[in-house]
Amino acid sequence: KKKKMTKKIVYLGLDGGGTSTTLTAIEIKNRALTKKEDWIVLGRVETEGSNVNSVGLEKAKEVITSAFKSLMNQIPFAFIIRGIGCGMAGHTSIKDHLASWILEVIPSQSTPPTILIRSDTNSALASGTFGVMEGIILISGTGMNTQGMISDSNGTLHMVSAGGWGPLLGDYGSGYEIGRDVLREVTRMHDGFISKSQLYDDVLDHFDIHTFPDLIGKIYKDTRWNVVASCARIAFSLYDSDDVAKSIVDRTSYHLLNYINHVANKIKLINDKPVPLILCGSIL
């Protein structure tokens, strides 16, 4: 008589941003989850961004479903997925689609997994506090967002936020803003309003072009936010040697500090106890 195979319980976490997407599978060893030894990472997939507001619905589905397919092949034993937590940039635009995309590609189960879809700010805060939903979270990647969560004297949880409106409405302190400012400054260099610096040459190298007018085709042909945001790394690499790059990064730092102070002052009106500050995103 064949012995019935026992399947292990696993949990998945999806972090979908404008810059990158990370999908992780874990097996829980201690449900307290207060230290890293309480779980074992079984597999991880890191891939390109999946913010639907930047890459579009079709591309977001391709990125996310491919990540799940790849992760399923990494888990080294028979398993049942008990729950999937999703922290997504642009989650209001994807929440009606995401669960069905996931269920299409994971192994079928008699009881489907619980799928929770939240903002990337919620998951980022929880990642820095081991699930305690109080604190201030600042995310700066392709986009940016700031959120504060705190309980009042009656135990009611309050949330305040600032930013996160997308590049067209003003993601001050984001990778997009830095990249946009880099591109604007090099156009001013090309037109002769300011002197050319290393920033000019590095932008041409970044896009693998030899003449400046070719930049128009590169930028307007692919309007995804992360294409512009990718120029942020140029400013950081030249921070110590290029005055224009330095001024761009310093201005961004001011914006981010302003967001933190603004949210901190808001939650202080609710409860003035100390709270942790969590920093996330490719810019930070």
Side-chain angles (χ1 to χ4, degrees):
K1 187 176 180 179
K2 290 185 178 179
K3 187 177 179 180
K4 188 176 180 179
M5 180 180 294
T6 301
K7 294 183 177 181
K8 294 187 177 182
I9 304 297
V10 301
Y11 294 83
L12 310 184
L14 174 65
D15 176 22
T19 305
S20 63
T21 299
T22 303
L23 179 63
T24 306
I26 66 167
E27 180 185 2
I28 294 176
K29 292 299 184 181
N30 180 355
R31 299 195 65 84
L33 296 178
T34 56
K35 54 185 185 299
K36 291 184 177 180
E37 292 76 16
D38 291 343
W39 65 85
I40 298 174
V41 175
L42 303 172
R44 185 187 301 263
V45 175
E46 296 185 17
T47 184
E48 58 192 303
S50 58
N51 184 340
V52 65
N53 295 325
S54 173
V55 303
L57 204 60
E58 184 177 339
K59 180 64 176 179
K61 180 179 181 180
E62 176 191 331
V63 170
I64 291 167
T65 54
S66 295
F68 272 90
K69 290 176 182 177
S70 178
L71 185 67
M72 295 303 95
N73 293 326
Q74 293 184 26
I75 302 175
F77 46 68
F79 61 90
I80 296 174
I81 302 171
R82 179 64 54 81
I84 304 173
C86 308
M88 308 298 294
H91 81 290
T92 56
S93 301
I94 202 174
K95 62 183 181 180
D96 294 334
H97 307 276
L98 186 55
S100 62
W101 294 350
I102 293 170
L103 292 173
E104 283 178 16
V105 294
I106 64 173
S108 59
Q109 302 175 179
S110 57
T111 302
T114 299
I115 301 176
L116 298 178
I117 303 169
R118 298 289 187 269
S119 165
D120 56 341
T121 52
N122 289 170
S123 58
L125 177 61
S127 73
T129 62
F130 288 98
V132 178
M133 298 307 289
E134 285 195 332
I136 297 172
I137 175 68
L138 172 67
I139 298 176
S140 179
T142 296
M144 66 76 53
N145 206 344
T146 322
Q147 191 175 91
M149 299 184 74
I150 197 163
S151 297
D152 60 22
S153 57
N154 297 318
T156 303
L157 188 64
H158 296 262
M159 181 182 73
V160 297
S161 60
W165 298 109
L168 298 182
L169 297 178
D171 268 354
Y172 300 106
S174 67
Y176 184 94
E177 185 199 31
I178 300 172
R180 181 205 63 198
D181 287 353
V182 165
L183 294 172
R184 286 179 174 178
E185 290 301 315
V186 296
T187 61
R188 295 179 69 224
M189 292 176 185
H190 184 76
D191 288 339
F193 287 103
I194 57 177
S195 300
K196 289 182 181 179
S197 69
Q198 187 62 42
L199 189 67
Y200 183 93
D201 294 330
D202 284 7
V203 166
L204 297 184
D205 290 342
H206 177 71
F207 287 103
D208 193 25
I209 56 178
H210 301 290
T211 62
F212 194 80
D214 292 337
L215 183 63
I216 295 173
K218 291 286 186 178
I219 296 301
Y220 291 108
K221 184 178 180 180
D222 189 344
T223 58
R224 290 177 297 166
W225 299 348
N226 60 352
V227 174
V228 173
S230 68
C231 296
R233 70 187 70 165
I234 305 173
F236 283 109
S237 69
L238 295 175
Y239 182 82
D240 293 325
S241 59
D242 189 296
D243 289 341
V244 177
K246 183 179 186 301
S247 68
I248 293 171
V249 174
D250 287 346
R251 185 165 59 246
T252 297
S253 301
Y254 168 80
H255 288 317
L256 294 177
L257 286 171
N258 195 34
Y259 275 114
I260 293 170
N261 288 330
H262 182 68
V263 170
N265 288 333
K266 278 187 172 183
I267 66 172
K268 189 176 181 180
L269 296 174
I270 302 168
N271 190 329
D272 64 357
K273 70 178 182 180
V275 295
L277 171 65
I278 312 300
L279 306 177
C280 289
S282 57
I283 297 301
L284 301 171

